[in-house]
Amino acid sequence: MAIITLTTDFGEKDHSSGAVKGAIYSELPEVTVVDISHSVAPFSVPEAAYIIQSAYSSFPKGTIHIIGIDSELNIENKHIAIKLDDHYFICANNGIMSMICAEIAPEQIVEINIHDRFESSFPVLDVFVKVACHIARGGTLDVVGKRIDRIKPITNIKPIVNEEESQIIGSIIYIDNYGNVITNIKKSFFESLCKGRQFIISARNHKLKTIYSKYSDVVNFDIPENERNDEGRPLVVFNSSEYLEIAMYKSNTVTVGGASTLMGLKLRDTVTVNFIKTL
């Protein structure tokens, strides 16, 4: 039986995510429903895009992903279903799929056109669930929508490079549970420009010159443990999704804070990489 995932900005307090799961189970009692996240910042399309891109490929082929972010239907915010990388995605056409589609070409995109069959003030519950269950039963996308060729892009999704290819200007697209800040600079993109050059990563008034392979590489294990002072040290890594991330070693947002608060960084802030010319 199929797997249906949920990624929304509904939070945990309200009834919304539970109602969506109940509607799915009412139609398909044997289906497996998995929560990816209900804690996306309200209406944050870039944040949702990062989360779903980072999570979807861990699921089996054929998984159906419902993304409930900014999903109210209007003339500028249509609903789409996409088959991509042998997965299915159901969401608003508001840029959420831009990050994935920039790297993997969709096999099929349809603009959902079954809204006249429902009285809907909650499209994730009334429309997205119907489409997901239709796909889970083996149905095709052509039954629920008309084919289209393009989706709406997210603006500023890609970092900017100057003409001399000596500078990358990126931006922060996500802040995780540890307060680590994730930029839109991917490892492959960085390496294609770096070409062995030294670099300085700048975020506000902070400058970092090393990218570690993992967080604990910032620790000097030759020093006795009781003499180290590594917790709270800033560092840069390429995270598990291969995005450039600025972190604090063993940060705790509840007590001392994380990179976002301690370094004064927030969503959409600029992060710059300057490559140093070699003589």
Side-chain angles (χ1 to χ4, degrees):
M1 200 63 186
I3 297 172
I4 298 175
T5 77
L6 301 176
T7 303
T8 77
D9 59 1
F10 297 160
E12 302 297 336
K13 179 180 179 180
D14 300 331
H15 70 283
S16 305
S17 60
V20 170
K21 283 184 266 191
I24 294 170
Y25 283 127
S26 294
E27 290 214 24
L28 294 172
E30 294 83 21
V31 77
T32 298
V33 180
V34 178
D35 299 300
I36 291 178
S37 177
H38 294 296
S39 299
V40 177
F43 306 104
S44 180
V45 169
E47 190 170 325
Y50 171 78
I51 289 171
I52 195 68
Q53 184 189 43
S54 300
Y56 90 89
S57 60
S58 294
F59 289 87
K61 300 292 187 182
T63 297
I64 303 152
H65 305 278
I66 292 176
I67 312 171
I69 310 291
D70 187 28
S71 55
E72 184 174 84
L73 182 69
N74 59 55
I75 59 173
E76 295 181 351
N77 201 43
K78 304 294 187 180
H79 295 157
I80 55 175
I82 296 178
K83 184 179 182 183
L84 179 150
D85 197 20
D86 289 327
H87 289 250
Y88 294 90
F89 302 85
I90 304 160
C91 58
N93 189 10
N94 54 17
I96 283 174
M97 291 301 295
S98 295
M99 290 176 69
I100 303 176
C101 291
E103 297 188 347
I104 304 172
E107 299 164 51
Q108 186 180 355
I109 313 170
V110 301
E111 186 176 287
I112 297 170
N113 59 9
I114 61 171
H115 302 83
D116 58 344
R117 304 179 198 176
F118 315 100
E119 278 190 29
S120 176
S121 59
F122 187 178
V124 178
L125 177 70
D126 303 320
V127 178
F128 291 10
V129 166
K130 293 291 184 186
V131 173
C133 291
H134 165 76
I135 297 168
R137 293 188 188 100
T140 64
L141 296 187
D142 289 314
V143 173
V144 296
K146 62 179 181 180
R147 293 197 181 216
I148 59 175
D149 298 324
R150 298 176 185 172
I151 61 170
K152 183 177 178 179
I154 300 178
T155 56
N156 302 324
I157 190 172
K158 293 183 179 180
I160 299 168
V161 181
N162 66 356
E163 290 185 10
E164 296 80 16
E165 295 190 347
S166 62
Q167 184 183 72
I168 302 172
I169 302 175
S171 60
I172 296 169
I173 58 172
Y174 187 72
I175 299 173
D176 72 11
N177 188 55
Y178 300 94
N180 301 328
V181 298
I182 291 89
T183 75
N184 60 348
I185 302 171
K186 291 214 77 171
K187 182 178 181 180
S188 56
F189 182 77
F190 176 90
E191 290 179 341
S192 71
L193 292 165
C194 181
K195 299 174 183 175
R197 290 181 290 180
Q198 292 183 316
F199 53 84
I200 298 173
I201 298 169
S202 302
R204 287 193 179 268
N205 60 335
H206 304 278
K207 298 187 183 301
L208 301 157
K209 300 180 181 180
T210 303
I211 299 176
Y212 295 100
S213 297
K214 57 183 185 292
Y215 302 100
S216 61
D217 283 348
V218 76
V219 179
N220 183 353
F221 289 100
D222 294 329
I223 298 174
E225 186 174 359
N226 62 348
E227 295 180 15
R228 297 177 201 151
N229 189 25
D230 297 308
E231 292 186 13
R233 284 184 60 189
L235 61 100
V236 181
V237 296
F238 285 111
N239 66 15
S240 59
S241 301
E242 298 197 331
Y243 283 91
L244 189 76
E245 174 182 311
I246 301 173
M248 291 286 183
Y249 184 63
K250 290 192 175 180
S251 61
N252 186 326
T253 56
V254 177
T255 55
V256 297
S260 58
T261 54
L262 295 176
M263 301 175 76
L265 301 172
K266 59 186 186 296
L267 288 173
R268 298 184 179 87
D269 276 356
T270 297
V271 174
T272 303
V273 180
N274 287 291
F275 296 107
I276 301 169
K277 185 183 294 185
T278 55
L279 298 177

